[in-house]
Amino acid sequence: MDDINKLYTLIKEAKHLVALTGAGVSTLSGIRDFRGKNGLYNEMDADKIFSIEYFEKDPSFYYNNAGSFIYNLDEKEASIVHTVLGQLERLGFLKALITQNIDLLHQKGGCKNVIEIHGSPITHYCLRCSGVNVSYEEAAAVVRKGEMPKCPKCDRVLKPAITFFGEALPAQALKKSVTESQKADVMLVLGTSLTVHPAAGMPQYTLRNSGKIVIVNNMPTPLDNMAFMHFDDLATVFEGLKSIIGNN
């Protein structure tokens, strides 16, 4: 607990605390990551599922394969990591949260200032007809019936507002992520292997501006030797933080 107490002090005293989260955060909610030892990449072609080129050829491949882990998110609960980050925001410590995740669990955990750098399934839209948007709930209901959401104007299959391979990241989200990373004097890097760019480059902006990074991940990252603190187990760290917050 000594190291976790030290981490809490660092969090509390930070002038501008930012978090960057990856898929490892959501494994605690029962959502499998992509590149871990039990990740989705081991049994399916995730590059193909999230390829804009392939989606335009055959959108059924995305819906048939993503249905089991994108369109059952209502059944998933925020983990201790999500809820403690929500507490840190409410306490005024956490100023912004940048996430690579597309599971909406940070919002469930209570965070308001969430920057979804890889987009979000919260809306589905038509690649042809402007102004056609369908909510996640509407799209999920269709997918659960074994069908695909379609444009009411042209009958084309709708695409989620997730950033697929071959698409540019949401410009505003990317701009905000860079700005927040540059302002951060402390960045919590949580559950990400820091291999997918440009999200993986965000801690570098913090380091270049003399900020500190804290890495909590169960696999090595390219920035481990530059971390001010390093932990392996997300659940242990956040259970400890929850206990300290409760006693303060």
Side-chain angles (χ1 to χ4, degrees):
M1 278 298 290
D2 284 349
D3 282 345
I4 298 177
N5 275 301
K6 182 179 175 184
L7 173 59
Y8 179 71
T9 300
L10 184 70
I11 288 170
K12 188 171 66 171
E13 294 179 353
K15 293 182 175 65
H16 198 89
L17 176 72
V18 172
L20 170 68
T21 67
V25 165
S26 296
T27 59
L28 297 173
S29 295
I31 296 176
R32 292 167 63 191
D33 64 9
F34 286 93
R35 293 174 176 80
K37 60 182 180 180
N38 297 312
L40 290 164
Y41 268 91
N42 295 325
E43 64 182 53
M44 62 175 66
D45 190 347
D47 287 344
K48 192 172 174 181
I49 294 171
F50 294 105
S51 161
I52 186 60
E53 183 180 359
Y54 203 82
F55 183 87
E56 290 178 329
K57 289 179 187 173
D58 180 15
S60 68
F61 188 80
Y62 163 77
Y63 282 106
N64 289 338
N65 286 278
S68 62
F69 62 95
I70 297 291
Y71 296 98
N72 65 351
L73 295 176
D74 292 346
E75 302 168 11
K76 302 299 181 182
E77 296 299 326
S79 73
I80 182 111
V81 180
H82 300 110
T83 56
V84 170
L85 288 170
Q87 283 183 286
L88 292 175
E89 185 184 89
R90 286 193 296 276
L91 289 167
F93 299 150
L94 183 64
K95 306 303 183 188
L97 188 148
I98 305 162
T99 188
Q100 298 170 266
N101 299 338
I102 52 174
D103 52 36
L104 311 174
L105 288 176
H106 284 300
Q107 290 89 335
K108 271 193 178 181
C111 283
K112 305 292 185 190
N113 191 16
V114 180
I115 305 167
E116 295 170 306
I117 198 167
H118 289 163
S120 168
I122 198 70
T123 187
H124 288 58
Y125 66 97
C126 182
L127 290 165
R128 180 181 295 159
C129 304
S130 63
V132 174
N133 292 283
V134 169
S135 72
Y136 170 80
E137 290 77 15
E138 291 175 274
V142 172
V143 175
R144 288 182 194 130
K145 291 191 293 185
E147 302 171 5
M148 296 184 289
K150 293 187 176 180
C151 176
K153 291 183 180 178
C154 70
D155 207 41
R156 186 182 180 128
V157 175
L158 301 179
K159 180 190 173 294
I162 298 166
T163 304
F164 281 20
F165 297 112
E167 291 187 301
L169 292 179
Q172 279 300 107
L174 181 57
K175 183 179 178 182
K176 282 181 69 177
S177 296
V178 171
T179 299
E180 292 293 342
S181 300
Q182 289 173 330
K183 288 166 68 176
D185 58 332
V186 177
M187 177 181 279
L188 305 178
V189 181
L190 309 172
T192 172
S193 55
L194 295 177
T195 55
V196 178
H197 287 271
M202 295 303 149
Q204 295 279 11
Y205 289 107
T206 299
L207 290 167
R208 284 187 206 127
N209 286 284
S210 303
K212 298 180 174 73
I213 64 170
V214 176
I215 295 175
V216 189
N217 197 53
N218 63 1
M219 294 174 67
T221 83
L223 296 182
D224 286 352
N225 65 339
M226 303 185 76
F228 181 73
M229 300 182 77
H230 185 281
F231 301 87
D232 295 323
D233 193 282
L234 277 162
T236 299
V237 169
F238 278 80
E239 288 283 2
L241 288 174
K242 180 180 180 181
S243 175
I244 293 167
I245 292 168
N247 291 326
N248 278 269

